[in-house]
Amino acid sequence: MPEIAPGPPLLLVLSGFSGAGKDSVRDLLMAWRLPVHFAVTANTRPPRDGEVEGRDYRFVSDAEFDRLERDGELIEHAIVYGQRKGVPRDEVLAPLETGRDVLARVDVQGAFTLRQLVPDAVLIFIAPPSLEEAQRRLASRHTDTDEEQRLRVATAAAEMEASKSFDYIVVNETNGLDRAARRVFEIMADEKKRRGAT
């Protein structure tokens, strides 16, 4: 993989609809131990099997989420498929201020909010090879009800349209997770090099 050039800190935002694989891409990038701060989102749903507090999400109660929102500790927040999610300010702004690159994983709405707050953020949309494949992936993970799966698939068309406003679209092909993660890494390296040269 290419070297990451020195330069101004970069906010990389991963988004995409359910079943695209943005969590899997993020997890693989984390496993590669990149010199990046991986922003951890607050979430009011219970942990799924295998999820780890503080790595996958900050799992909080509705009361704690209310407090975070009230005290201005969330840089962005939204209700996503009935779950309250928000990115704590200290997961994005504090690392950037100390010169660290940050990778945040959020929904499409959250990506545009982060772009408003950090105008030079790089938005990357993780897409599946097809809507049918996204639906198959959702069904195979056995974490959503049939109704929740239908809602996620119905939302996908609008999110694909919104992806046209992203800086990059990375297709996560079936059995191609490594390639998708490498492409995200290459984007990061290219953006760091470009910005460091200006």
Side-chain angles (χ1 to χ4, degrees), residues 175-197:
N175 300 320
L177 177 61
D178 188 82
R179 289 193 300 275
R182 285 178 182 274
R183 178 60 187 134
V184 171
F185 179 86
E186 289 167 359
I187 290 169
M188 178 183 175
D190 289 347
E191 288 286 341
K192 288 287 289 186
K193 182 177 180 182
R194 181 177 65 81
R195 294 174 188 214

mmCIF file of all heavy atoms in Angstrom, residues 175-197:
data_model
loop_
_atom_site.group_PDB
_atom_site.id
_atom_site.type_symbol
_atom_site.label_atom_id
_atom_site.label_comp_id
_atom_site.label_asym_id
_atom_site.label_seq_id
_atom_site.Cartn_x
_atom_site.Cartn_y
_atom_site.Cartn_z
ATOM 1 N N ASN A 175 -17.253 -10.692 -2.135
ATOM 2 C CA ASN A 175 -15.932 -11.275 -1.898
ATOM 3 C C ASN A 175 -14.792 -10.327 -2.279
ATOM 4 O O ASN A 175 -13.672 -10.774 -2.544
ATOM 5 C CB ASN A 175 -15.776 -12.611 -2.653
ATOM 6 C CG ASN A 175 -16.802 -13.636 -2.230
ATOM 7 O OD1 ASN A 175 -17.118 -13.760 -1.047
ATOM 8 N ND2 ASN A 175 -17.357 -14.347 -3.192
ATOM 9 N N GLY A 176 -15.080 -9.031 -2.280
ATOM 10 C CA GLY A 176 -14.061 -8.049 -2.663
ATOM 11 C C GLY A 176 -13.770 -7.035 -1.575
ATOM 12 O O GLY A 176 -13.344 -5.915 -1.870
ATOM 13 N N LEU A 177 -13.985 -7.431 -0.313
ATOM 14 C CA LEU A 177 -13.810 -6.499 0.796
ATOM 15 C C LEU A 177 -12.393 -5.935 0.843
ATOM 16 O O LEU A 177 -12.198 -4.727 1.050
ATOM 17 C CB LEU A 177 -14.150 -7.179 2.123
ATOM 18 C CG LEU A 177 -13.934 -6.342 3.383
ATOM 19 C CD1 LEU A 177 -14.808 -5.103 3.374
ATOM 20 C CD2 LEU A 177 -14.214 -7.193 4.629
ATOM 21 N N ASP A 178 -11.402 -6.778 0.635
ATOM 22 C CA ASP A 178 -10.014 -6.324 0.695
ATOM 23 C C ASP A 178 -9.762 -5.231 -0.350
ATOM 24 O O ASP A 178 -9.113 -4.223 -0.059
ATOM 25 C CB ASP A 178 -9.072 -7.505 0.478
ATOM 26 C CG ASP A 178 -7.624 -7.128 0.718
ATOM 27 O OD1 ASP A 178 -7.215 -7.105 1.885
ATOM 28 O OD2 ASP A 178 -6.908 -6.848 -0.269
ATOM 29 N N ARG A 179 -10.280 -5.421 -1.556
ATOM 30 C CA ARG A 179 -10.093 -4.420 -2.617
ATOM 31 C C ARG A 179 -10.775 -3.107 -2.258
ATOM 32 O O ARG A 179 -10.226 -2.031 -2.494
ATOM 33 C CB ARG A 179 -10.634 -4.946 -3.957
ATOM 34 C CG ARG A 179 -9.801 -6.054 -4.564
ATOM 35 C CD ARG A 179 -10.191 -6.326 -6.010
ATOM 36 N NE ARG A 179 -11.591 -6.719 -6.154
ATOM 37 C CZ ARG A 179 -12.035 -7.961 -6.010
ATOM 38 N NH1 ARG A 179 -11.182 -8.946 -5.708
ATOM 39 N NH2 ARG A 179 -13.311 -8.235 -6.169
ATOM 40 N N ALA A 180 -11.981 -3.188 -1.691
ATOM 41 C CA ALA A 180 -12.704 -1.970 -1.317
ATOM 42 C C ALA A 180 -11.950 -1.209 -0.235
ATOM 43 O O ALA A 180 -11.801 0.021 -0.303
ATOM 44 C CB ALA A 180 -14.121 -2.315 -0.849
ATOM 45 N N ALA A 181 -11.453 -1.928 0.771
ATOM 46 C CA ALA A 181 -10.708 -1.271 1.848
ATOM 47 C C ALA A 181 -9.418 -0.663 1.325
ATOM 48 O O ALA A 181 -9.033 0.454 1.716
ATOM 49 C CB ALA A 181 -10.422 -2.268 2.964
ATOM 50 N N ARG A 182 -8.740 -1.374 0.417
ATOM 51 C CA ARG A 182 -7.516 -0.825 -0.166
ATOM 52 C C ARG A 182 -7.807 0.441 -0.970
ATOM 53 O O ARG A 182 -7.011 1.385 -0.977
ATOM 54 C CB ARG A 182 -6.824 -1.874 -1.045
ATOM 55 C CG ARG A 182 -6.121 -2.948 -0.243
ATOM 56 C CD ARG A 182 -5.477 -4.005 -1.136
ATOM 57 N NE ARG A 182 -4.862 -5.036 -0.314
ATOM 58 C CZ ARG A 182 -3.638 -4.965 0.182
ATOM 59 N NH1 ARG A 182 -2.886 -3.892 -0.076
ATOM 60 N NH2 ARG A 182 -3.151 -5.935 0.924
ATOM 61 N N ARG A 183 -8.941 0.462 -1.655
ATOM 62 C CA ARG A 183 -9.311 1.655 -2.427
ATOM 63 C C ARG A 183 -9.541 2.842 -1.497
ATOM 64 O O ARG A 183 -9.117 3.963 -1.790
ATOM 65 C CB ARG A 183 -10.564 1.373 -3.272
ATOM 66 C CG ARG A 183 -11.048 2.568 -4.076
ATOM 67 C CD ARG A 183 -10.000 3.054 -5.060
ATOM 68 N NE ARG A 183 -10.411 4.287 -5.700
ATOM 69 C CZ ARG A 183 -9.627 5.355 -5.864
ATOM 70 N NH1 ARG A 183 -8.370 5.332 -5.439
ATOM 71 N NH2 ARG A 183 -10.084 6.431 -6.460
ATOM 72 N N VAL A 184 -10.192 2.606 -0.354
ATOM 73 C CA VAL A 184 -10.393 3.688 0.617
ATOM 74 C C VAL A 184 -9.038 4.181 1.120
ATOM 75 O O VAL A 184 -8.809 5.396 1.238
ATOM 76 C CB VAL A 184 -11.281 3.215 1.784
ATOM 77 C CG1 VAL A 184 -11.304 4.261 2.905
ATOM 78 C CG2 VAL A 184 -12.704 2.949 1.291
ATOM 79 N N PHE A 185 -8.130 3.257 1.396
ATOM 80 C CA PHE A 185 -6.795 3.646 1.843
ATOM 81 C C PHE A 185 -6.095 4.481 0.772
ATOM 82 O O PHE A 185 -5.442 5.488 1.071
ATOM 83 C CB PHE A 185 -5.966 2.414 2.178
ATOM 84 C CG PHE A 185 -4.567 2.737 2.612
ATOM 85 C CD1 PHE A 185 -4.293 3.035 3.940
ATOM 86 C CD2 PHE A 185 -3.529 2.795 1.694
ATOM 87 C CE1 PHE A 185 -3.006 3.359 4.349
ATOM 88 C CE2 PHE A 185 -2.245 3.115 2.090
ATOM 89 C CZ PHE A 185 -1.983 3.402 3.426
ATOM 90 N N GLU A 186 -6.204 4.064 -0.479
ATOM 91 C CA GLU A 186 -5.564 4.803 -1.572
ATOM 92 C C GLU A 186 -6.137 6.216 -1.688
ATOM 93 O O GLU A 186 -5.402 7.176 -1.948
ATOM 94 C CB GLU A 186 -5.757 4.048 -2.890
ATOM 95 C CG GLU A 186 -4.941 2.770 -2.982
ATOM 96 C CD GLU A 186 -5.373 1.881 -4.126
ATOM 97 O OE1 GLU A 186 -6.343 2.257 -4.842
ATOM 98 O OE2 GLU A 186 -4.758 0.811 -4.304
ATOM 99 N N ILE A 187 -7.448 6.337 -1.506
ATOM 100 C CA ILE A 187 -8.080 7.667 -1.544
ATOM 101 C C ILE A 187 -7.500 8.543 -0.451
ATOM 102 O O ILE A 187 -7.142 9.707 -0.668
ATOM 103 C CB ILE A 187 -9.607 7.539 -1.408
ATOM 104 C CG1 ILE A 187 -10.204 6.920 -2.670
ATOM 105 C CG2 ILE A 187 -10.242 8.910 -1.112
ATOM 106 C CD1 ILE A 187 -11.656 6.504 -2.525
ATOM 107 N N MET A 188 -7.386 7.976 0.733
ATOM 108 C CA MET A 188 -6.828 8.730 1.851
ATOM 109 C C MET A 188 -5.398 9.170 1.546
ATOM 110 O O MET A 188 -5.028 10.337 1.743
ATOM 111 C CB MET A 188 -6.857 7.880 3.109
ATOM 112 C CG MET A 188 -6.244 8.558 4.319
ATOM 113 S SD MET A 188 -6.233 7.465 5.740
ATOM 114 C CE MET A 188 -5.323 8.503 6.887
ATOM 115 N N ALA A 189 -4.573 8.243 1.049
ATOM 116 C CA ALA A 189 -3.185 8.564 0.735
ATOM 117 C C ALA A 189 -3.092 9.634 -0.345
ATOM 118 O O ALA A 189 -2.286 10.575 -0.246
ATOM 119 C CB ALA A 189 -2.448 7.297 0.303
ATOM 120 N N ASP A 190 -3.936 9.524 -1.379
ATOM 121 C CA ASP A 190 -3.932 10.504 -2.467
ATOM 122 C C ASP A 190 -4.348 11.884 -1.968
ATOM 123 O O ASP A 190 -3.752 12.901 -2.346
ATOM 124 C CB ASP A 190 -4.866 10.064 -3.592
ATOM 125 C CG ASP A 190 -4.330 8.868 -4.376
ATOM 126 O OD1 ASP A 190 -3.147 8.541 -4.212
ATOM 127 O OD2 ASP A 190 -5.115 8.267 -5.135
ATOM 128 N N GLU A 191 -5.381 11.927 -1.133
ATOM 129 C CA GLU A 191 -5.859 13.206 -0.613
ATOM 130 C C GLU A 191 -4.814 13.852 0.293
ATOM 131 O O GLU A 191 -4.601 15.064 0.254
ATOM 132 C CB GLU A 191 -7.178 13.015 0.142
ATOM 133 C CG GLU A 191 -8.380 12.721 -0.752
ATOM 134 C CD GLU A 191 -8.865 13.948 -1.505
ATOM 135 O OE1 GLU A 191 -8.537 15.085 -1.101
ATOM 136 O OE2 GLU A 191 -9.597 13.780 -2.507
ATOM 137 N N LYS A 192 -4.148 13.040 1.111
ATOM 138 C CA LYS A 192 -3.098 13.585 1.979
ATOM 139 C C LYS A 192 -1.951 14.143 1.137
ATOM 140 O O LYS A 192 -1.425 15.236 1.414
ATOM 141 C CB LYS A 192 -2.571 12.495 2.908
ATOM 142 C CG LYS A 192 -3.533 12.095 4.005
ATOM 143 C CD LYS A 192 -3.642 13.152 5.098
ATOM 144 C CE LYS A 192 -2.378 13.229 5.932
ATOM 145 N NZ LYS A 192 -2.538 14.160 7.066
ATOM 146 N N LYS A 193 -1.568 13.421 0.111
ATOM 147 C CA LYS A 193 -0.478 13.872 -0.758
ATOM 148 C C LYS A 193 -0.860 15.167 -1.470
ATOM 149 O O LYS A 193 -0.067 16.114 -1.544
ATOM 150 C CB LYS A 193 -0.161 12.779 -1.780
ATOM 151 C CG LYS A 193 1.003 13.116 -2.705
ATOM 152 C CD LYS A 193 1.295 11.948 -3.635
ATOM 153 C CE LYS A 193 2.458 12.273 -4.564
ATOM 154 N NZ LYS A 193 2.723 11.147 -5.501
ATOM 155 N N ARG A 194 -2.088 15.207 -1.999
ATOM 156 C CA ARG A 194 -2.543 16.393 -2.733
ATOM 157 C C ARG A 194 -2.583 17.610 -1.829
ATOM 158 O O ARG A 194 -2.135 18.696 -2.180
ATOM 159 C CB ARG A 194 -3.921 16.131 -3.330
ATOM 160 C CG ARG A 194 -4.490 17.282 -4.140
ATOM 161 C CD ARG A 194 -5.818 16.914 -4.756
ATOM 162 N NE ARG A 194 -6.834 16.687 -3.736
ATOM 163 C CZ ARG A 194 -7.504 17.661 -3.130
ATOM 164 N NH1 ARG A 194 -7.246 18.915 -3.392
ATOM 165 N NH2 ARG A 194 -8.433 17.359 -2.233
ATOM 166 N N ARG A 195 -3.110 17.442 -0.637
ATOM 167 C CA ARG A 195 -3.246 18.583 0.277
ATOM 168 C C ARG A 195 -1.908 19.014 0.859
ATOM 169 O O ARG A 195 -1.697 20.186 1.128
ATOM 170 C CB ARG A 195 -4.223 18.218 1.402
ATOM 171 C CG ARG A 195 -5.631 18.008 0.874
ATOM 172 C CD ARG A 195 -6.581 17.506 1.929
ATOM 173 N NE ARG A 195 -7.853 17.150 1.324
ATOM 174 C CZ ARG A 195 -9.016 17.293 1.909
ATOM 175 N NH1 ARG A 195 -9.087 17.777 3.142
ATOM 176 N NH2 ARG A 195 -10.122 16.953 1.293
ATOM 177 N N GLY A 196 -1.018 18.039 1.033
ATOM 178 C CA GLY A 196 0.300 18.384 1.542
ATOM 179 C C GLY A 196 1.127 19.142 0.532
ATOM 180 O O GLY A 196 2.060 19.865 0.890
ATOM 181 N N ALA A 197 0.779 18.997 -0.760
ATOM 182 C CA ALA A 197 1.542 19.669 -1.814
ATOM 183 C C ALA A 197 1.083 21.103 -2.051
ATOM 184 O O ALA A 197 1.747 21.856 -2.760
ATOM 185 C CB ALA A 197 1.420 18.880 -3.109
#
